[in-house]
Amino acid sequence: MKVSRSGITALLLLALTAGCSEPDKSVSAVTGDGRLEIRLEAERNWVFPDTELPLRVVVASVNGPVADTTAATVDLIANFGSVSPSMVHAILNGPDAEGAGADSLYFRWVVFKADRSGIDSRTQGEITALMGETMTRLKIRIVDPPPDP
């Protein structure tokens, strides 16, 4: 049986793309009433074991500045690591007496710290954000640290 070079190349490309996908750097979900969006954002989608990665928790009004002050609580749950703080209280202020200055976005920085032990290069940490009935999940690849020089 003779296999062509292009056939081998196609199989290798298929194996590489199907084998593993990189986690997203940003994930989001919109509440059931369509008023608020929750986002988790990271500058990179990987971290070494026992190191920290800053994440941004964003609560945004889908329709622009809010008409009335709106509050939301976001619970954060981590797998293969910890997240601090584990709860964020977001407040989007409504307009002032003149009808100006309403908020459309709230954000807060939190820190994910990857576990130190029992981790290998196939492990992905996860941060799940729950805001009422709405959930979104950011996956973070936990990679092997570089060898000591």
Side-chain angles (χ1 to χ4, degrees):
M1 178 165 136
K2 189 173 184 180
V3 179
S4 70
R5 180 176 275 170
S6 62
I8 292 173
T9 303
L11 284 173
L12 285 174
L13 284 173
L14 179 62
L16 286 174
T17 57
C20 78
S21 62
E22 286 296 312
D24 294 324
K25 294 179 187 174
S26 177
V27 294
S28 65
V30 175
T31 57
D33 61 7
R35 292 182 40 216
L36 295 176
E37 174 189 31
I38 182 171
R39 284 193 311 262
L40 295 176
E41 302 172 344
E43 297 235 352
R44 63 181 193 272
N45 56 5
W46 60 271
V47 67
F48 295 125
D50 200 34
T51 59
E52 296 179 344
L53 177 65
L55 306 170
R56 196 163 89 142
V57 178
V58 179
V59 175
S61 169
V62 173
N63 301 316
V66 294
D68 296 308
T69 297
T70 303
T73 298
V74 180
D75 293 305
L76 301 165
I77 304 163
N79 290 332
F80 294 110
S82 61
V83 63
S84 178
S86 62
M87 184 179 291
V88 172
H89 299 285
I91 297 177
L92 299 173
N93 292 309
D96 60 18
E98 286 86 39
D103 294 333
S104 61
L105 181 114
Y106 170 92
F107 77 89
R108 170 131 188 224
W109 288 98
V110 299
V111 175
F112 172 77
K113 184 172 183 180
D115 282 345
R116 172 186 340 198
S117 60
I119 302 294
D120 62 28
S121 60
R122 296 171 304 210
T123 303
Q124 287 190 29
E126 293 180 345
I127 297 92
T128 302
L130 299 168
M131 185 171 67
E133 302 272 324
T134 305
M135 180 194 82
T136 190
R137 180 175 292 134
L138 181 69
K139 295 184 179 193
I140 299 170
R141 188 172 305 270
I142 301 173
V143 300
D144 293 326
D148 291 330

